Amino acid sequence: MKDVKIILVGMGVVGKGVAELLDEKRDFFRKKNFNPKVVAIAEKDGALIDGEGINLKDALKDLKKAGKWVEEKSINIVSGVEADVVIEVTPTNLETGEPGLSHIRKALKSGKHAITSNKGPLVVDFWGLKEDAEKNNVLFRYEATVCAAIPLFSLHRNSIEANRIEFIKGILNGTTNYILTKMHEDGIPFEVALEEAIESGYAEKNYSYDINGNDAAAKAVIIANAILGMKKKYSDVKLTGIGGVTKNSVELAKDSGFVIKLIAEIDENKLEVSPRLVPKLHPLNVNGTLNAVMFKMDMARDLYLVGRGAGKRETAGSIINDLVEIMRDESLLKK
Amino acid sequence: MKVELELLLEDKPGVLLKTLTPIARNGGNIISVLHEREKRKAGHVPTVIFFEVSAEERIEKIVEELGKGGIKIKLLKSDGKTLLEKTSFFVIFVGHVMDTDARDTISRIMKKGAKVSRFSVKITAKEEPSSALLLIETDKKNKDEVIEELRNIANEKNLLVIKE
């Protein structure tokens, strides 16, 4: 059994999800002949460190009492603690990318593989991070950053890379899709649908990031860079949110066989997120919080992926799969 | 020259004859007619007519006469070269669509060579934003220009534009 030492940076919803799944999936890892060991969990105000592997159940109960707690900056934990992989799951900041950007840079430069669900670092400096990974001969994986459980990047890497991609478009945000679905199905105004989304836990109290399309725009930038090889910044996105979509407009669309969806469209000449008319029978017309992505390619032609784009287990699950991909190649792990 | 003419014909008696007559009158030798009734959509049948004519001027004459007869051409090819390709798409404007001069909105779209073949409005209360759904027909090569104009109109009149 090969030990795989992990540093987990961030113990919010996703971090806890990762800890839970690492514990829950022990049999699976055993069958693969790997033993993932979390050797450090770093938070804002310090870190839990145990070279023999932290007891994750204890850490989930009370982080500071689960072992040796040190008041050390997370960035120093990333560089100073010996490990194979750093899992970076701190909150997203689309302007600076921090603190995630520094964590990931430091991880890659100190010869550790990095996995993240944090959009900020990729939106701010995707190409810099890619270069850091290549220079240091380590892997950088970020499947969870876009549409959580839908495997876009690994699909592209492993199964469709030889295609020329004409465009990628889709629904990249579940909150707005829930609101637009409610408006369409129940004939209610935007404000009422938003209220319902907040009550059902599908929208954050601070919902503007979703409603204004910022979240979808960030994901579109990551797709543009990571899949289409473009050099795009957040400010390149032509962005319109769903705040202006009215009950009237939804009804007019419905009468003519359309639904209104917040669609991201990415191709050579276009990087746009805006409400669009989608024919009712089109595969991108998915309901509720679902996400859907369409690839238009020269060989495979049209490919559609539908799945869950958010949630603790879905996002953490995507991180776990990135981890499995790194573990698969034993030569990438420390002796 | 060999001509391929793709049309959307109204599913009514006599329409096919009305389409074939101008072709024959201008010396067109009809090779085949594909009348795909099983693909009938919104009362219109996709139809493709292949014919031969001796000169390009005759094609122009045929197109002109078909237009006068209210026949909608979707695609026109001569010896494999596309001479004309039409496209249509829906768009919704949200905002004070009527108060910002709907007539001006339509005429600006038409100035770009497009046709607004449907215009439906929904109004709840005067002070609340209304919505208008437009079906726009245009030459395919002009589509980007028409869309750009829709964006300009939306910006100037503070409307939200929802495209297909």
Side-chain angles (χ1 to χ4, degrees):
Chain A
M1 197 102 92
K2 176 88 184 106
D3 282 350
V4 182
K5 291 182 177 172
I6 298 165
I7 299 171
L8 182 57
V9 187
M11 199 54 165
V13 175
V14 179
K16 284 189 179 123
V18 170
E20 283 165 13
L21 287 181
L22 283 172
D23 192 50
E24 182 188 323
K25 293 279 173 182
R26 262 180 310 190
D27 286 349
F28 165 81
F29 290 122
R30 201 171 294 134
K31 273 185 213 147
K32 292 267 165 193
N33 218 20
F34 282 104
N35 179 31
K37 259 186 185 175
V38 177
V39 292
I41 299 176
E43 258 292 3
K44 244 183 274 172
D45 52 347
L48 185 68
I49 302 176
D50 187 341
E52 290 309 305
I54 292 164
N55 181 316
L56 294 172
K57 280 200 176 78
D58 292 347
L60 282 161
K61 257 182 242 149
D62 189 344
L63 189 62
K64 290 185 181 175
K65 287 183 184 153
K68 188 178 137 203
W69 180 261
V70 292
E71 282 179 12
E72 182 63 76
K73 282 188 178 155
S74 51
I75 193 82
N76 297 332
I77 300 293
V78 169
S79 58
V81 174
E82 196 201 299
D84 298 289
V85 185
V86 172
I87 296 178
E88 212 288 342
V89 286
T90 62
T92 291
N93 179 325
L94 294 181
E95 275 154 35
T96 64
E98 297 298 353
L101 185 57
S102 295
H103 288 149
I104 297 170
R105 269 190 194 137
K106 190 63 108 186
L108 299 171
K109 284 180 176 164
S110 61
K112 298 177 178 97
H113 308 291
I115 302 171
T116 192
S117 60
N118 185 344
K119 288 179 277 292
L122 282 97
V123 168
V124 173
D125 191 20
F126 172 78
W127 290 102
L129 293 173
K130 196 168 155 59
E131 198 186 316
D132 285 345
E134 277 162 11
K135 266 191 196 157
N136 293 286
N137 208 16
V138 287
L139 295 181
F140 174 41
R141 292 287 178 257
Y142 39 81
E143 193 61 70
T145 56
V146 181
C147 301
I150 305 180
L152 296 178
F153 306 110
S154 65
L155 176 88
H156 177 243
R157 258 194 322 272
N158 299 314
S159 312
I160 57 171
E161 204 187 349
N163 283 273
R164 187 174 55 79
I165 298 174
E166 284 166 34
F167 64 78
I168 298 172
K169 67 178 174 184
I171 297 168
L172 308 182
N173 181 273
T175 304
T176 46
N177 203 39
Y178 178 85
I179 292 170
L180 293 172
T181 302
K182 276 275 159 196
M183 289 176 76
H184 185 89
E185 286 180 353
D186 302 346
I188 53 176
F190 173 79
E191 294 74 20
V192 180
L194 173 61
E195 202 58 47
E196 275 190 31
I198 295 169
E199 273 168 26
S200 319
Y202 295 130
E204 312 261 340
K205 281 264 153 53
N206 174 21
Y207 48 76
S208 67
Y209 177 72
D210 290 316
I211 301 307
N212 297 336
N214 307 109
D215 175 68
K219 291 167 178 167
V221 171
I222 298 174
I223 289 175
N225 289 326
I227 297 182
L228 296 182
M230 296 157 87
K231 297 225 156 57
K232 292 293 178 190
K233 302 186 299 290
Y234 182 79
S235 57
D236 294 326
V237 185
K238 207 180 241 179
L239 174 61
T240 311
I242 65 161
V245 177
T246 58
K247 185 170 174 271
N248 273 344
S249 55
V250 171
E251 278 169 11
L252 266 180
K254 197 173 182 176
D255 293 346
S256 292
F258 290 99
V259 289
I260 297 177
K261 296 288 184 190
L262 184 70
I263 300 287
E265 196 173 357
I266 309 131
D267 68 28
E268 238 174 33
N269 309 306
K270 196 184 265 175
L271 185 55
E272 188 176 339
V273 173
S274 60
R276 299 284 285 269
L277 297 170
V278 175
K280 203 175 154 234
L281 296 175
H282 195 280
L284 284 183
N285 177 18
V286 298
N287 287 337
T289 56
L290 282 176
N291 283 195
V293 181
M294 170 193 185
F295 287 78
K296 179 85 172 173
M297 297 174 279
D298 68 336
M299 295 188 290
R301 311 264 185 148
D302 302 1
L303 176 68
Y304 294 90
L305 298 152
V306 177
R308 295 183 188 278
K312 181 188 189 183
R313 201 172 163 83
E314 292 83 348
T315 309
S318 198
I319 291 170
I320 295 295
N321 277 300
D322 277 346
L323 180 66
V324 173
E325 194 180 323
I326 291 170
M327 292 191 302
R328 206 177 280 148
D329 187 350
E330 206 170 326
S331 68
L332 293 170
L333 302 173
K334 296 204 169 71
K335 297 283 173 298
Chain B
M1 47 191 61
K2 280 193 179 135
V3 181
E4 179 186 343
L5 184 63
E6 208 181 308
L7 313 140
L8 268 177
L9 296 184
E10 235 182 309
D11 194 15
K12 276 198 325 208
V15 174
L16 186 58
L17 184 66
K18 208 167 97 180
T19 313
L20 296 176
T21 307
I23 299 173
R25 194 161 46 221
N26 288 288
N29 181 22
I30 291 162
I31 301 165
S32 73
V33 178
L34 232 78
H35 194 55
E36 300 182 273
R37 291 211 69 216
E38 69 280 7
K39 290 189 185 162
R40 186 176 179 271
K41 220 170 109 186
H44 285 75
V45 183
T47 305
V48 188
I49 302 169
F50 291 93
F51 62 92
E52 276 183 325
V53 278
S54 54
E56 188 141 347
E57 297 91 300
R58 292 186 177 241
I59 302 177
E60 285 167 21
K61 197 90 180 52
I62 291 168
V63 169
E64 193 192 317
E65 286 183 27
L66 286 172
K68 276 184 194 159
I71 307 290
K72 280 181 193 162
I73 299 174
K74 246 188 102 189
L75 178 74
L76 176 70
K77 278 184 178 176
S78 165
D79 286 339
K81 205 178 106 202
T82 304
L83 300 180
L84 183 72
E85 196 175 3
K86 292 274 185 190
T87 184
S88 64
F89 59 93
F90 284 96
V91 64
I92 290 179
F93 279 121
V94 188
H96 293 284
V97 183
M98 301 313 281
D99 291 350
T100 54
D101 199 350
R103 195 183 297 251
D104 168 73
T105 300
I106 293 172
S107 87
R108 280 178 65 177
I109 295 167
M110 287 171 73
K111 266 187 200 142
K112 293 285 164 192
K115 214 175 113 189
V116 178
S117 55
R118 216 173 116 188
F119 187 86
S120 339
V121 193
K122 260 195 200 250
I123 306 170
T124 331
K126 201 176 181 319
E127 59 281 3
E128 275 179 37
S130 53
S131 301
L133 176 123
L134 289 76
L135 177 59
I136 298 172
E137 289 174 16
T138 173
D139 281 358
K140 204 171 181 183
K141 60 177 182 355
N142 286 347
K143 190 181 174 183
D144 287 347
E145 212 181 306
V146 174
I147 286 176
E148 192 52 42
E149 183 67 0
L150 295 175
R151 272 207 198 99
N152 293 338
I153 295 170
N155 280 339
E156 286 166 34
K157 302 188 175 185
N158 202 18
L159 306 172
L160 167 69
V161 56
I162 306 175
K163 292 172 293 165
E164 221 178 302

